[in-house]
Amino acid sequence: MKEETNVVLVVDDEFEIQRLFKQIFRKRIRNGELSFQFAQNGIEALEIIRASNSIAMILTDIQMPKMDGLTLLTNLAEIECPLKAVVISAFGDMKNIRVAMNRGAFDFLMKPIDFEDLEITINKTLAFVRDLRSQKQELQSTLDRLHSLVFYDQLTGLSNRYGLLQKIAKSIDLKRSKGIDFAVLKLDVERYPIIKAGFGHTLSDRLLVEIARRLESWNIPSKVVARMENNEFAILLEGVENLSVIANYIEQLHQLFSHPVQLDEISVSSKTRIGLVTSDLEGVQPEDFLRAADTAFDCARNDREGTVFFNHSMQQKAIHRVNLEVNLQEAIATKQILVHYQPIFSLQTGKIKGFEALARWLTPDQRWISPLEFIPLAEETGLIVPLGRCLLAEACAQMGRWKNQFPDICPESISVNLSSLQLANSDLLEDIDRSLLAAGLSGESLNLEITESVLMENVKTAINVLYQLRERSIGISIDDFGTGYSSLAYLQSLPITALKIDRSFIMDIDTNSNSLEITSMIINLSNQLKLKVVAEGIDKDAHTNVLRSLSCDYGQGFLFSPPVDATAATSLIAAQISDSFSKNV
């Protein structure tokens, strides 16, 4: 297979340069090893580079009209495709050399040109660029595979739960901005459990694949079909012009399932039950719609018609939600929200590396309110900003107390979660600076955890804030990594220090090959990007054994310790002194 021609862009306003290059390198040009393009200034060069990804290397003079070589080097930082520039100039004083190298030049050669030295430099630079592009391609392939594993069902090729949630989020935005209706359906294959029990996995899997193909081929204007789990599917009906047409779609679905599926000599007839929710639901999150469809689907199990539309009488959460919001405001004001700490351990040494600070709500009548209930509410109502401010201040204060109490074995950092509203809040940096100063801490003692979805909501704002945080030496982790989708370009441009693997991949890592592959790929990706990696949700020794074999850096989970109050967390640190003492005796 013929190798790709290496294209070198020569940027110089001397016309004689073109003739010289074509003459000196004529054999390599004729053999297809090298190809040269020419520009007379930086502006022309940028136009050529932006129009083609084929440029691998730039040879540029410094003094040129319109845009000089040093300005060109600055603009090359915006080019996504990897390439390198070598400066060739008669102005080879130390100042110009330092400026060029600081702006990203790969090398600096003097005029008059020593063409033997130039050829060596070209070969060296092109080899470096080839390695860069190969590494980028490998990273991109890893991310693409990870995206496939996370967002698509590997058996049927359909979207999975995560993929469907993303599509529902887009439909919610269209409903808000343009009033375009949608609906979410949940359905199942009734006969699947019988086929699986009687004929095994192979035949039951084929049944699911056949049903998936039927649903995909269902001829309606716009839909997203997803396999949820086992024999359950979900369908997002997008851009529904009139909600009255949904009844017709339901009838078509039941007819679709009425035709038997032929699997070798076995003919399988299977009905389906359907739970449905429309965009009239007063929900703000994709999960609200899936949850409502689930509720309707559960009711459909006992319905003679096999189809149930969700209605608000099915759940009495609305009144409860209003009361909870009022109580949450009061809880924040009266400091009912406590901070609990879950240790993060080194999987290699067993030592506590840090703690994650987590909000817990204890009501005046001594009832615990689940964070799964009040944190989403806080995010929806904006209360997450004052709540997050209080949690940050207390977490930093506690870290300061530990540093004073355990100067030799104090954990490295305290981790605090950051929501999209907090990230966009103009007072965030001031709040962080104030909390660190009050606790007597430097930035290295604080780590902020941000989910992929939060980062992707407003990338430009996020990048600006994150760089300011890193200037303070504050660590930045992408939380729940793998459940969103960050492009390689963003992963490489964001000043992050760690990835946290979502617990959904860890919970069955010892029994599920898909979870194992996803986790392995995330750890390999972290290594390539020189990031630390933390596994969440470690609940048994088997999880730890697998993660150690994959060279995962850190872990947290109930196997080590649940989130505990400050007193219990202090005891965990103190216990490490006893362990060290007993080992030394």
Side-chain angles (χ1 to χ4, degrees), residues 561-581:
S561 170
V564 294
D565 61 24
T567 302
T570 303
S571 297
L572 288 174
I573 302 173
Q576 295 195 132
I577 299 177
S578 302
D579 289 345
S580 298
F581 178 76

Side-chain angles (χ1 to χ4, degrees), residues 221-233:
S222 184
K223 67 182 185 302
V224 176
V225 182
R227 182 190 173 205
M228 306 305 284
E229 55 186 28
N230 295 327
N231 61 327
E232 295 178 353
F233 292 83

Side-chain angles (χ1 to χ4, degrees), residues 189-197 204-205 207-208 230-231:
V189 184
E190 272 191 350
R191 301 286 289 175
Y192 172 82
I194 298 172
I195 297 299
K196 184 178 179 182
S204 59
D205 283 353
L207 174 62
L208 293 178
N230 295 327
N231 61 327

Side-chain angles (χ1 to χ4, degrees), residues 9 42-58 67 71-85 103-104 129 132-133 136 488-489 492-493:
L9 176 61
I43 293 177
E44 286 184 17
L46 287 173
E47 289 174 354
I48 292 171
I49 295 165
R50 286 167 179 157
S52 170
N53 287 329
S54 62
I55 307 296
M57 175 184 178
I58 299 169
M67 181 186 287
T71 305
L72 170 61
L73 289 175
T74 302
N75 281 274
L76 290 180
E78 302 173 3
I79 305 301
E80 187 174 329
C81 187
L83 52 77
K84 286 295 175 183
R103 295 189 184 186
V129 171
L132 273 183
R133 292 188 173 184
K136 181 178 180 180
L488 177 60
Q492 291 179 312
S493 64

Side-chain angles (χ1 to χ4, degrees), residues 185 246-255 274 276 307 309:
L185 289 70
I246 292 177
N248 182 43
Y249 290 157
I250 295 294
E251 185 179 342
Q252 290 179 31
L253 265 179
H254 282 298
Q255 289 177 357
I274 301 171
L276 183 146
T307 299
F309 281 72

Side-chain angles (χ1 to χ4, degrees), residues 302-362:
N302 302 313
D303 184 80
R304 238 171 71 181
E305 299 299 320
T307 299
V308 171
F309 281 72
F310 176 83
N311 64 70
H312 292 284
S313 65
M314 293 178 182
Q315 57 180 170
Q316 297 298 318
K317 291 184 178 178
I319 297 174
H320 173 68
R321 184 184 184 280
V322 172
N323 291 333
L324 192 67
E325 182 179 345
V326 172
N327 292 337
L328 180 58
Q329 291 181 27
E330 183 182 354
I332 295 170
T334 58
K335 300 189 185 307
Q336 294 174 32
I337 306 297
L338 309 175
V339 183
H340 280 199
Y341 303 89
Q342 185 171 39
I344 300 171
F345 284 83
S346 167
L347 293 180
Q348 307 308 317
T349 66
K351 295 294 185 183
I352 297 175
K353 179 258 182 187
F355 283 91
E356 180 178 358
L358 299 162
R360 294 294 183 264
W361 182 2
L362 182 63

